[in-house]
Amino acid sequence: MADEITQLKNELQRAVKTVQDINAQLESMCRNCEQYRQEIHQLEHARQPYQFLRAREVARRFDASIPTIYRWVSEGVLPGPHKLSKNTSRWLESEIEAAAMRITEPGEKSKPG
């Protein structure tokens, strides 16, 4: 009987050790998962090379109406939108930012038109 108890104690100790090892591995994996989540979040919120803007977003940046944006495009003040599909046109954010910098250079009006 004492041998059986000793054997059970040894098995229990091995099982406890296995559970502790598994727990340590899980904790390590969770830390890795959190790091990956943070990296994914940073990548998702990183500036995309081609960020597109809708007409209302361009208008909001210049505190102007959408018709005024199209008038400025026709006057050559702003670049035109890019046709993405039959019914979709968007401006490249980088082109709008460059136009805004050009428009607001010293000695220029703060708004086109």
Side-chain angles (χ1 to χ4, degrees):
M1 182 79 162
D3 288 339
E4 289 176 12
I5 293 175
T6 303
Q7 186 178 1
L8 287 174
K9 282 182 180 180
N10 289 338
E11 287 178 25
L12 181 60
Q13 287 174 345
R14 282 192 300 272
V16 167
K17 175 68 172 137
T18 300
V19 169
Q20 289 172 339
D21 291 344
I22 291 171
N23 192 30
Q25 290 174 351
L26 287 173
E27 287 178 10
S28 175
M29 291 169 69
C30 286
R31 280 191 300 276
N32 289 341
C33 287
E34 183 58 32
Q35 289 173 347
Y36 292 139
R37 266 194 290 265
Q38 290 174 359
E39 288 174 17
I40 288 169
H41 178 77
Q42 289 172 348
L43 289 172
E44 287 174 343
H45 292 88
R47 185 177 199 91
Q48 300 296 319
Y50 297 109
Q51 183 70 35
F52 291 101
L53 301 174
R54 296 171 178 258
R56 70 175 166 260
E57 294 168 324
V58 174
R60 200 174 304 131
R61 288 184 183 219
F62 289 99
D63 192 26
S65 66
I66 292 174
T68 299
I69 295 301
Y70 283 104
R71 181 171 49 85
W72 290 344
V73 168
S74 69
E75 293 171 354
V77 175
L78 292 179
H82 296 271
K83 193 80 168 159
L84 301 181
S85 69
K86 182 180 176 186
N87 296 316
T88 305
S89 294
R90 299 288 188 267
W91 280 263
L92 276 173
E93 183 179 40
S94 59
E95 293 177 350
I96 294 302
E97 287 177 354
M101 293 298 290
R102 188 179 65 250
I103 291 165
T104 58
E105 286 177 353
E108 297 289 326
K109 294 180 181 177
S110 62
K111 283 190 198 172

